[in-house]
Amino acid sequence: GAVVSQHPSRVICKSGTSVKIECRSLDFQATTMFWYRQFPKQSLMLMATSNEGSKATYEQGVEKDKFLINHASLTLSTLTVTSAHPEDSSFYICSAKQGDRGPFSYEQYFGPGTRLTVT
Amino acid sequence: QKEVEQNSGPLSVPEGAIASLNCTYSDRVSQSFFWYRQYSGKSPELIMSIYSNGDKEDGRFTAQLNKASQYVSLLIRDSQPSDSATYLCAVRDNYGQNFVFGPGTRLSVLP
């Protein structure tokens, strides 16, 4: 149980274009989803937290107009990187947590990640 | 500012030895503690969770929690080269959804 998928696993795009990354919880309903970014040899950096049906809460320094997060259902959250630039190239990882009454409500489960390269 | 601290390593141990990974946290109201393993180029994988003081064992892994001292540790017995990875400590409080991750400790198990 507690499987989280991400799509695509790898994407290359040109500077100035937008890229959408999907995160799905496959066997549980994710009340909360998190989006992280990780640069090579660095630790995870939380970008935003999203609760189903609500606006995402962004961490300080993360541009909400550039990184659009939609958590429209209990199993799907999307991250759209708008007007991507080479400095946005990174490993983007989502994670999901069930609501406070389910068997997966205490832990956070990660998707496999999406490697974005902006040329 | 809630903080979780770990030695960045690398921590090198010979194959078959016990690897000991430590983590301290600043927020006394933290209630849930997690260890994740992250292989290079992959996303983190949950390997242990612990909520009560004391030890919790799962196979070769033992998590130890001491809330009074605000530290949590992970012991890996009979370390294998396949255990070589970065180990992330994460802490969650009961007041919200927030998980705070440490910077990770890189473990290298030498054959």
Side-chain angles (χ1 to χ4, degrees):
Chain A
V3 178
V4 178
S5 70
Q6 262 184 262
H7 178 80
S9 58
R10 190 178 292 267
V11 58
I12 300 173
C13 71
K14 291 188 176 180
S15 186
T17 61
S18 295
V19 174
K20 180 184 282 188
I21 302 170
E22 291 187 350
C23 176
R24 294 182 185 272
S25 57
L26 299 185
D27 52 1
F28 66 99
Q29 293 184 324
T31 306
T32 305
M33 287 186 169
F34 307 86
W35 286 96
Y36 294 84
R37 181 167 56 180
Q38 188 174 38
F39 293 106
K41 299 191 185 300
Q42 294 188 22
S43 59
L44 289 173
M45 188 187 81
L46 179 65
M47 299 175 67
T49 302
S50 73
N51 291 297
E52 185 264 340
S54 307
K55 288 185 178 179
T57 301
Y58 290 82
E59 295 299 302
Q60 192 172 8
V62 178
E63 300 173 58
K64 61 181 181 181
D65 294 331
K66 180 171 182 61
F67 298 99
L68 302 179
I69 292 172
N70 186 296
H71 191 166
S73 78
L74 285 171
T75 59
L76 173 65
S77 177
T78 60
L79 167 67
T80 301
V81 182
T82 63
S83 188
H85 290 281
E87 57 265 32
D88 298 324
S89 298
S90 187
F91 191 40
Y92 291 85
I93 314 172
C94 74
S95 69
K97 189 184 88 64
Q98 197 175 29
D100 286 336
R101 295 181 183 177
F104 307 127
S105 59
Y106 288 95
E107 292 100 2
Q108 189 180 153
Y109 296 91
F110 285 88
T114 296
R115 193 160 301 282
L116 170 64
T117 303
V118 184
T119 60
Chain B
Q1 180 80 13
K2 299 174 185 177
E3 293 183 348
V4 177
E5 296 185 348
Q6 298 178 253
N7 288 327
S8 60
L11 171 67
S12 295
V13 300
E15 183 174 356
I18 296 176
S20 177
L21 304 163
N22 298 314
C23 170
T24 59
Y25 57 95
S26 63
D27 190 355
R28 283 193 170 275
V29 301
S30 299
Q31 294 293 324
S32 307
F33 307 87
F34 310 91
W35 283 99
Y36 288 83
R37 177 176 61 198
Q38 186 176 24
Y39 291 112
S40 180
K42 302 294 184 182
S43 66
E45 171 193 11
L46 178 68
I47 55 173
M48 288 285 285
S49 57
I50 186 166
Y51 308 105
S52 304
N53 278 328
D55 295 359
K56 178 182 177 182
E57 187 174 317
D58 183 1
R60 294 186 296 113
F61 299 100
T62 298
Q64 299 175 317
L65 174 61
N66 184 324
K67 290 185 180 180
S69 300
Q70 295 176 238
Y71 87 79
V72 57
S73 64
L74 179 70
L75 300 178
I76 307 175
R77 290 181 299 282
D78 188 23
S79 296
Q80 302 297 309
S82 57
D83 295 325
S84 298
T86 297
Y87 289 81
L88 302 168
C89 172
V91 172
R92 179 197 172 202
D93 63 46
N94 273 354
Y95 296 103
Q97 312 289 351
N98 295 330
F99 290 73
V100 181
F101 281 85
T105 297
R106 190 155 55 93
L107 172 66
S108 179
V109 180
L110 307 174

